[in-house]
Amino acid sequence: EDTSDDCLFFCDNCRLTRGKVLPDELRVPGAAALPTTDLGDELQLALKKELAGLGVQASPVLVRVVSNKRFVSKIDQTQTALPGHPASAPAGSDKEFPYRSKCILAFQTIQGREVYFFAMYVQEYGSDCPEPNTNRVYISYLDSVRYFESSPDGHRTTVYHSILINYLAYAKSHGYQHAHIWVAPPKQGDDYIFYAHPASMLDKRMGLLKLREWYEKMLE
């Protein structure tokens, strides 16, 4: 009640008791308003079918590709020559590796609030990319927070594995022939994608062997 009436943000209680409404320009659209893509639709539908097949009840999970950008990485092939010996490649002979970077997010409405709980960055090197990266995908980063809710519970891995497996299936159907997965757990205090993790996760980070086992189980 001490908050001035010209304040931009009000808590839920103030909105109820004081009739305050968040201005339209400060409202953030939900995940459903994000553009859909073939990839996001395939991952979302496959996950829905898998959860239903297991008899898992959960509020719908929305999957969206929120970033899809083309980049070109370069490797300088010029080697420093020893005195009296020519360099093995002329100066400026960079080798270019074009690829597409995508960010995939999963959302669920939990206790009336939309939460994004899973994120994955991938890099796709197509047929136009020279060897050794031709037709290869890299799962560069994967991060999550333990907020997915279902009945029965304990199906977070089901969700994560489903998105990974069906992404690899999507990549295969589009001509990619090899996939590489970066398996390196963050050190204490490090955050890969999410800015911070719940306290309950800080003491339960996977070690390298357990994380490798988690991926191997997914691949099997």
Side-chain angles (χ1 to χ4, degrees), residues 144-193:
S144 65
V145 284
R146 296 172 184 162
Y147 287 146
F148 173 74
E149 291 187 350
S150 65
S151 178
D153 59 9
H155 280 277
R156 291 192 304 270
T157 292
T158 302
V159 175
Y160 308 156
H161 278 187
S162 173
I163 293 175
L164 278 162
I165 289 168
N166 288 289
Y167 169 74
L168 293 174
Y170 173 89
K172 181 179 179 180
S173 70
H174 283 72
Y176 295 97
Q177 299 171 336
H178 307 274
H180 302 266
I181 301 176
W182 175 255
V183 183
K187 297 178 181 178
Q188 192 72 24
D190 288 348
D191 295 289
Y192 277 172
I193 300 176

Coordinates of all heavy atoms in Angstrom, one line a residue, residues 144-193:
S144 N 18.8 -26.9 -18.6 CA 17.5 -27.0 -18.1 C 17.4 -26.5 -16.6 O 18.4 -26.4 -15.9 CB 17.0 -28.5 -18.2 OG 17.8 -29.3 -17.3
V145 N 16.1 -26.3 -16.2 CA 15.8 -26.1 -14.8 C 14.7 -27.0 -14.4 O 13.8 -27.3 -15.3 CB 15.4 -24.6 -14.5 CG1 16.7 -23.7 -14.5 CG2 14.4 -24.1 -15.5
R146 N 14.7 -27.5 -13.2 CA 13.8 -28.6 -12.9 C 12.4 -28.1 -12.5 O 11.9 -28.3 -11.4 CB 14.4 -29.4 -11.7 CG 15.7 -30.1 -12.1 CD 16.4 -30.7 -10.9 NE 17.7 -31.3 -11.3 CZ 18.6 -31.6 -10.4 NH1 18.5 -31.4 -9.1 NH2 19.8 -32.1 -10.9
Y147 N 11.7 -27.5 -13.5 CA 10.4 -27.0 -13.2 C 9.3 -27.7 -14.0 O 8.1 -27.4 -13.8 CB 10.4 -25.5 -13.6 CG 11.2 -24.6 -12.7 CD1 11.8 -23.5 -13.2 CD2 11.2 -24.8 -11.3 CE1 12.5 -22.6 -12.3 CE2 11.9 -24.0 -10.5 CZ 12.6 -22.9 -11.0 OH 13.3 -22.1 -10.1
F148 N 9.6 -28.6 -14.8 CA 8.6 -29.4 -15.6 C 7.8 -30.2 -14.6 O 8.3 -30.9 -13.7 CB 9.2 -30.3 -16.6 CG 8.2 -31.2 -17.3 CD1 7.3 -30.7 -18.2 CD2 8.1 -32.6 -16.9 CE1 6.4 -31.5 -18.8 CE2 7.2 -33.4 -17.5 CZ 6.3 -32.9 -18.5
E149 N 6.4 -30.0 -14.7 CA 5.5 -30.7 -13.8 C 4.6 -31.7 -14.5 O 4.2 -31.4 -15.7 CB 4.6 -29.7 -13.0 CG 5.4 -28.9 -12.0 CD 4.5 -28.0 -11.2 OE1 3.3 -27.9 -11.5 OE2 4.9 -27.4 -10.2
S150 N 4.4 -32.9 -14.0 CA 3.6 -33.9 -14.6 C 3.0 -34.8 -13.5 O 3.5 -34.8 -12.4 CB 4.4 -34.7 -15.6 OG 5.4 -35.5 -14.9
S151 N 2.1 -35.6 -13.9 CA 1.5 -36.6 -13.0 C 1.4 -37.9 -13.8 O 0.7 -38.0 -14.8 CB 0.1 -36.2 -12.6 OG -0.5 -37.2 -11.8
P152 N 2.2 -39.0 -13.3 CA 3.1 -38.9 -12.2 C 4.3 -38.1 -12.5 O 4.6 -37.8 -13.7 CB 3.5 -40.4 -12.1 CG 3.4 -41.0 -13.4 CD 2.2 -40.3 -14.0
D153 N 5.1 -37.7 -11.5 CA 6.3 -36.9 -11.7 C 7.4 -37.7 -12.1 O 7.3 -38.9 -12.3 CB 6.6 -36.0 -10.5 CG 6.8 -36.9 -9.3 OD1 6.9 -38.1 -9.4 OD2 7.0 -36.3 -8.2
G154 N 8.6 -37.1 -12.3 CA 9.8 -37.9 -12.6 C 9.9 -38.1 -14.1 O 10.6 -39.1 -14.5
H155 N 9.3 -37.2 -14.9 CA 9.4 -37.4 -16.4 C 10.2 -36.3 -17.1 O 10.0 -36.0 -18.3 CB 8.0 -37.5 -17.0 CG 7.5 -38.9 -16.8 ND1 7.7 -39.9 -17.7 CD2 6.6 -39.4 -15.9 CE1 7.1 -41.0 -17.3 NE2 6.4 -40.8 -16.2
R156 N 11.0 -35.6 -16.3 CA 11.9 -34.5 -17.0 C 12.8 -35.2 -18.0 O 12.9 -34.6 -19.1 CB 12.7 -33.8 -15.9 CG 11.9 -33.0 -15.0 CD 12.8 -32.0 -14.2 NE 13.8 -32.8 -13.4 CZ 13.7 -33.2 -12.2 NH1 12.5 -33.0 -11.6 NH2 14.6 -33.9 -11.6
T157 N 13.4 -36.3 -17.7 CA 14.3 -36.9 -18.7 C 13.5 -37.4 -19.9 O 14.0 -37.3 -21.0 CB 15.0 -38.1 -18.0 OG1 15.9 -37.6 -17.1 CG2 15.8 -38.9 -19.1
T158 N 12.3 -37.8 -19.7 CA 11.4 -38.2 -20.8 C 11.3 -37.0 -21.8 O 11.4 -37.2 -23.0 CB 10.0 -38.6 -20.4 OG1 10.1 -39.7 -19.4 CG2 9.2 -39.0 -21.5
V159 N 11.1 -35.8 -21.3 CA 10.9 -34.6 -22.1 C 12.2 -34.3 -22.8 O 12.3 -34.1 -24.0 CB 10.4 -33.4 -21.3 CG1 10.4 -32.2 -22.1 CG2 9.1 -33.7 -20.7
Y160 N 13.3 -34.2 -22.1 CA 14.6 -33.9 -22.6 C 15.0 -34.8 -23.7 O 15.5 -34.5 -24.8 CB 15.7 -33.8 -21.6 CG 15.3 -32.9 -20.4 CD1 15.9 -33.1 -19.1 CD2 14.4 -31.9 -20.5 CE1 15.6 -32.3 -18.0 CE2 14.1 -31.1 -19.4 CZ 14.7 -31.3 -18.1 OH 14.4 -30.6 -17.1
H161 N 14.9 -36.1 -23.4 CA 15.3 -37.2 -24.4 C 14.5 -37.1 -25.6 O 15.0 -37.3 -26.8 CB 15.3 -38.5 -23.8 CG 16.5 -38.9 -22.9 ND1 16.7 -40.1 -22.4 CD2 17.5 -38.1 -22.5 CE1 17.8 -40.1 -21.7 NE2 18.3 -38.9 -21.8
S162 N 13.2 -36.9 -25.5 CA 12.3 -36.8 -26.6 C 12.7 -35.7 -27.6 O 12.8 -35.9 -28.8 CB 10.8 -36.6 -26.2 OG 10.0 -36.3 -27.3
I163 N 13.0 -34.5 -27.0 CA 13.4 -33.4 -27.8 C 14.7 -33.7 -28.6 O 14.9 -33.4 -29.8 CB 13.5 -32.1 -27.0 CG1 12.1 -31.7 -26.5 CG2 14.1 -30.9 -27.8 CD1 12.2 -30.5 -25.5
L164 N 15.7 -34.3 -27.9 CA 17.0 -34.6 -28.5 C 16.8 -35.7 -29.6 O 17.3 -35.5 -30.7 CB 17.9 -35.2 -27.4 CG 18.6 -34.1 -26.6 CD1 19.2 -34.8 -25.3 CD2 19.8 -33.5 -27.4
I165 N 16.1 -36.7 -29.3 CA 15.9 -37.8 -30.2 C 15.2 -37.4 -31.5 O 15.6 -37.7 -32.6 CB 15.1 -39.0 -29.6 CG1 16.0 -39.7 -28.5 CG2 14.7 -40.0 -30.6 CD1 15.2 -40.6 -27.6
N166 N 14.2 -36.6 -31.3 CA 13.4 -36.1 -32.5 C 14.1 -35.0 -33.2 O 13.9 -34.8 -34.4 CB 12.0 -35.7 -32.0 CG 11.1 -36.9 -31.7 OD1 10.7 -37.7 -32.5 ND2 10.9 -37.1 -30.4
Y167 N 15.0 -34.3 -32.5 CA 15.8 -33.3 -33.3 C 16.8 -34.1 -34.2 O 16.9 -33.7 -35.4 CB 16.6 -32.4 -32.4 CG 17.6 -31.6 -33.2 CD1 17.2 -30.6 -34.0 CD2 19.0 -32.0 -33.2 CE1 18.1 -29.9 -34.8 CE2 19.9 -31.3 -34.0 CZ 19.5 -30.3 -34.8 OH 20.4 -29.7 -35.6
L168 N 17.4 -35.1 -33.7 CA 18.3 -35.9 -34.5 C 17.6 -36.6 -35.7 O 18.1 -36.7 -36.8 CB 19.0 -37.0 -33.6 CG 19.9 -36.5 -32.6 CD1 20.4 -37.6 -31.7 CD2 21.1 -35.7 -33.2
A169 N 16.3 -37.0 -35.4 CA 15.5 -37.6 -36.5 C 15.2 -36.6 -37.6 O 15.3 -36.8 -38.8 CB 14.2 -38.2 -35.9
Y170 N 14.9 -35.3 -37.1 CA 14.6 -34.2 -38.0 C 15.9 -34.0 -38.9 O 15.8 -33.8 -40.1 CB 14.2 -33.0 -37.2 CG 14.1 -31.7 -38.1 CD1 12.9 -31.4 -38.7 CD2 15.2 -30.9 -38.2 CE1 12.7 -30.3 -39.4 CE2 15.0 -29.7 -39.0 CZ 13.8 -29.4 -39.6 OH 13.7 -28.3 -40.3
A171 N 17.1 -33.9 -38.2 CA 18.3 -33.6 -38.9 C 18.6 -34.7 -40.0 O 19.0 -34.4 -41.1 CB 19.5 -33.5 -37.9
K172 N 18.4 -36.0 -39.6 CA 18.6 -37.1 -40.5 C 17.7 -37.0 -41.7 O 18.1 -37.2 -42.9 CB 18.4 -38.4 -39.8 CG 18.6 -39.6 -40.7 CD 18.4 -40.9 -39.9 CE 18.6 -42.1 -40.8 NZ 18.3 -43.4 -40.1
S173 N 16.4 -36.6 -41.5 CA 15.5 -36.5 -42.6 C 15.8 -35.3 -43.5 O 15.3 -35.3 -44.7 CB 14.1 -36.3 -42.1 OG 13.9 -35.0 -41.5
H174 N 16.7 -34.4 -43.1 CA 17.1 -33.3 -43.9 C 18.5 -33.4 -44.5 O 19.1 -32.4 -44.9 CB 17.0 -32.0 -43.1 CG 15.6 -31.5 -43.0 ND1 14.6 -32.1 -42.2 CD2 14.9 -30.4 -43.6 CE1 13.5 -31.5 -42.3 NE2 13.6 -30.5 -43.1
G175 N 19.0 -34.7 -44.5 CA 20.3 -34.9 -45.1 C 21.5 -34.9 -44.3 O 22.6 -35.2 -44.8
Y176 N 21.4 -34.6 -43.0 CA 22.6 -34.6 -42.2 C 22.9 -36.1 -41.8 O 22.1 -36.9 -41.6 CB 22.3 -33.8 -40.9 CG 22.1 -32.3 -41.2 CD1 20.8 -31.8 -41.2 CD2 23.2 -31.5 -41.3 CE1 20.6 -30.5 -41.5 CE2 23.0 -30.1 -41.6 CZ 21.7 -29.6 -41.7 OH 21.5 -28.3 -42.0
Q177 N 24.2 -36.3 -41.8 CA 24.7 -37.7 -41.7 C 25.4 -38.0 -40.4 O 25.6 -39.2 -40.0 CB 25.6 -38.1 -42.9 CG 24.9 -37.9 -44.2 CD 25.8 -38.1 -45.4 OE1 27.0 -37.8 -45.3 NE2 25.3 -38.4 -46.6
H178 N 25.9 -37.0 -39.7 CA 26.7 -37.2 -38.5 C 26.2 -36.2 -37.4 O 25.8 -35.1 -37.8 CB 28.2 -36.9 -38.7 CG 28.7 -37.8 -39.9 ND1 29.2 -39.0 -39.7 CD2 28.9 -37.5 -41.2 CE1 29.6 -39.5 -40.9 NE2 29.4 -38.6 -41.8
A179 N 26.3 -36.6 -36.2 CA 25.9 -35.7 -35.1 C 27.0 -35.8 -34.0 O 27.5 -36.8 -33.7 CB 24.5 -36.1 -34.5
H180 N 27.3 -34.6 -33.4 CA 28.2 -34.5 -32.4 C 27.6 -33.9 -31.1 O 26.8 -32.9 -31.3 CB 29.5 -33.7 -32.8 CG 30.2 -34.3 -34.0 ND1 31.2 -35.1 -33.9 CD2 29.9 -34.1 -35.3 CE1 31.6 -35.4 -35.1 NE2 30.9 -34.8 -36.0
I181 N 27.8 -34.4 -30.0 CA 27.2 -33.9 -28.8 C 28.3 -33.5 -27.8 O 29.2 -34.3 -27.5 CB 26.3 -34.9 -28.1 CG1 25.2 -35.4 -29.1 CG2 25.7 -34.4 -26.8 CD1 24.3 -36.5 -28.5
W182 N 28.2 -32.3 -27.3 CA 29.2 -31.7 -26.4 C 28.8 -32.2 -25.0 O 27.8 -31.8 -24.5 CB 29.2 -30.2 -26.5 CG 30.1 -29.5 -25.5 CD1 29.7 -28.9 -24.3 CD2 31.6 -29.5 -25.5 NE1 30.8 -28.4 -23.7 CE2 31.9 -28.7 -24.3 CE3 32.5 -29.9 -26.3 CZ2 33.3 -28.5 -24.0 CZ3 33.9 -29.7 -26.0 CH2 34.2 -29.0 -24.9
V183 N 29.6 -33.1 -24.4 CA 29.3 -33.6 -23.1 C 30.3 -33.1 -22.1 O 31.4 -33.7 -21.9 CB 29.3 -35.2 -23.1 CG1 28.9 -35.7 -21.8 CG2 28.3 -35.7 -24.2
A184 N 30.0 -32.0 -21.4 CA 30.8 -31.4 -20.4 C 30.0 -30.7 -19.4 O 29.4 -29.7 -19.7 CB 31.8 -30.5 -21.1
P185 N 29.8 -31.3 -18.2 CA 29.0 -30.6 -17.2 C 29.6 -29.3 -16.8 O 30.8 -29.2 -16.7 CB 28.9 -31.6 -16.1 CG 30.2 -32.4 -16.2 CD 30.5 -32.5 -17.7
P186 N 28.8 -28.3 -16.4 CA 29.3 -27.0 -15.9 C 29.9 -27.2 -14.6 O 29.5 -28.0 -13.8 CB 28.1 -26.1 -15.9 CG 26.9 -27.1 -15.7 CD 27.3 -28.3 -16.5
K187 N 30.9 -26.4 -14.3 CA 31.5 -26.4 -13.0 C 30.6 -25.7 -12.0 O 29.7 -24.9 -12.4 CB 32.9 -25.7 -13.1 CG 33.9 -26.5 -14.0 CD 35.3 -25.8 -14.0 CE 36.2 -26.5 -14.9 NZ 37.5 -25.8 -15.0
Q188 N 30.9 -25.9 -10.8 CA 30.1 -25.2 -9.7 C 30.1 -23.7 -10.0 O 31.2 -23.1 -10.1 CB 30.6 -25.5 -8.3 CG 29.7 -25.1 -7.2 CD 28.5 -26.0 -7.1 OE1 28.5 -27.1 -7.6 NE2 27.4 -25.5 -6.6
G189 N 28.9 -23.1 -10.1 CA 28.9 -21.6 -10.2 C 28.7 -21.2 -11.7 O 28.4 -20.1 -12.0
D190 N 29.0 -22.1 -12.6 CA 28.9 -21.8 -14.1 C 27.4 -22.0 -14.5 O 26.7 -22.9 -14.1 CB 29.8 -22.7 -14.9 CG 31.3 -22.3 -14.7 OD1 31.5 -21.2 -14.1 OD2 32.1 -23.1 -15.2
D191 N 27.0 -21.2 -15.5 CA 25.7 -21.3 -16.1 C 25.9 -21.2 -17.6 O 26.4 -20.2 -18.1 CB 24.7 -20.2 -15.6 CG 24.5 -20.4 -14.1 OD1 23.7 -21.3 -13.7 OD2 24.9 -19.5 -13.3
Y192 N 25.4 -22.3 -18.3 CA 25.6 -22.3 -19.8 C 24.6 -21.4 -20.5 O 25.0 -20.6 -21.3 CB 25.5 -23.7 -20.3 CG 26.7 -24.6 -20.1 CD1 26.7 -25.9 -20.4 CD2 27.9 -24.0 -19.7 CE1 27.9 -26.7 -20.2 CE2 29.1 -24.7 -19.6 CZ 29.1 -26.1 -19.9 OH 30.2 -26.8 -19.8
I193 N 23.3 -21.6 -20.3 CA 22.3 -20.9 -21.0 C 21.4 -20.1 -20.0 O 21.3 -18.9 -20.1 CB 21.4 -21.8 -21.8 CG1 22.2 -22.5 -22.9 CG2 20.3 -20.9 -22.5 CD1 21.5 -23.5 -23.7

